[in-house]
Amino acid sequence: MNITKLKKSTPLQVIASVLAALFGVQSDNNRQHDFKQSSPWPFIIVGGGVIGAMIIAIIAVAQWATAI
């Protein structure tokens, strides 16, 4: 029986994976690695933070553009 250890994703790998998935450019190997992780919570938390940051950035740019 071949038993391989599953490497846990580092915080930087989670951020990179979330950004790649958000823009639709994530490779199949990375996607499979992500789905083999024991918990989806790091990806959910980082994803929520990235979406929140994008919303805040869009609001800030819109307010700046309308103030000109």
Side-chain angles (χ1 to χ4, degrees), residues 17-51:
S17 181
V18 167
L19 289 174
L22 181 68
F23 292 107
V25 295
Q26 187 174 29
S27 70
D28 189 49
N29 288 338
N30 287 344
R31 184 188 56 79
Q32 288 180 5
H33 178 265
D34 294 344
F35 277 91
K36 289 179 183 175
Q37 298 301 306
S38 61
S39 174
W41 286 109
F43 299 97
I44 293 169
I45 292 167
V46 170
V50 168
I51 296 295

